[in-house]
Amino acid sequence: MKNMSTAEFLYLDKLKTDKYLEDIFEILHSNMSLIAPTGNSYKEDLEMWSSEIIPALDKEQRQIILMYVDNSLAGYFQYYINTDTNSFMMEEIQIKKEYQGTGLFSEFYKWLLKQLPKSIMYVEAFANKKNHKSQSILTHLGLECVGENKNGNSLYYKGEYADLLIKYK
């Protein structure tokens, strides 16, 4: 088990997004290519993902947090705060395989919840139907499966933000 006392969490500087995109995508691709392969080449997937993520980051409410262990990028977390519904949408959490199960996830959540607005009421997330590990994590976080996305390839989860706060105090 790696020592998580050297973990550091930093918000992505959106003015330097290009500097981090390939490293972030490499983590995403390495985790998801076996679970939900697209049939595309790595380069095609990178281009498609970049064409979606770059404009998505133009929204102030959407953030990416970079997770470092021993000054090495270990993962990232992308989220969106919907101020209209007071919801915290967990969009993407990806941790390199060698850091999974080390306590990084828990340490990150303890840090993250201190950064978020106090007005949040709900937590939401989608998990690919083939990604049983993500589904288990969302259930562990106290979210319930309440539907699916429009194209039917992901399940929609929702829970009370207060429950998440209690879990990671």
Side-chain angles (χ1 to χ4, degrees):
M1 183 190 282
K2 295 182 185 293
N3 182 353
M4 288 298 108
S5 64
T6 58
E8 185 178 19
F9 311 112
L10 302 170
Y11 278 90
L12 172 72
D13 179 345
K14 292 182 179 184
L15 298 175
K16 298 178 182 175
T17 299
D18 290 351
K19 177 181 173 188
Y20 296 94
L21 277 183
E22 285 194 45
D23 292 337
I24 290 171
F25 180 75
E26 186 178 311
I27 297 169
L28 171 68
H29 189 269
S30 133
N31 287 340
M32 292 303 295
S33 61
L34 294 174
I35 296 168
T38 63
N40 299 330
S41 71
Y42 181 89
K43 186 178 178 186
E44 289 169 329
D45 281 344
L46 172 60
E47 288 172 2
M48 188 175 355
W49 177 80
S50 296
S51 73
E52 293 174 9
I53 194 67
I54 292 170
L57 285 171
D58 285 342
K59 293 185 176 164
E60 184 182 336
Q61 304 96 314
R62 180 166 286 114
Q63 297 290 334
I64 291 180
I65 300 169
L66 305 173
M67 300 176 200
Y68 289 91
V69 175
D70 296 329
N71 298 316
S72 177
L73 184 62
Y76 73 95
F77 180 75
Q78 178 182 317
Y79 72 90
Y80 183 84
I81 301 292
N82 185 331
T83 52
D84 294 336
T85 60
N86 291 326
S87 293
F88 166 48
M89 173 61 80
M90 301 183 295
E91 295 181 312
E92 193 75 59
I93 185 159
Q94 296 291 335
I95 298 174
K96 287 182 178 178
K97 285 180 181 56
E98 62 264 33
Y99 297 101
Q100 293 175 12
T102 64
L104 178 62
F105 181 87
S106 292
E107 188 170 335
F108 169 72
Y109 261 82
K110 287 175 187 171
W111 174 87
L112 174 67
L113 296 177
K114 294 174 187 169
Q115 316 306 313
L116 298 176
K118 305 292 182 231
S119 60
I120 295 173
M121 303 282 295
Y122 306 103
V123 184
E124 300 174 279
F126 288 94
N128 187 292
K129 287 182 176 179
K130 297 176 185 174
N131 194 339
H132 301 291
K133 186 173 185 178
S134 286
Q135 294 169 35
S136 295
I137 290 168
L138 293 173
T139 302
H140 174 76
L141 292 175
L143 282 69
E144 293 181 21
C145 182
V146 294
E148 59 183 44
N149 67 344
K150 289 175 187 160
N151 67 15
N153 64 5
S154 293
L155 298 172
Y156 171 62
Y157 287 78
K158 187 171 184 176
E160 300 285 330
Y161 184 67
D163 294 342
L164 196 60
L165 288 174
I166 292 166
K167 186 169 206 58
Y168 284 100
K169 272 197 170 177

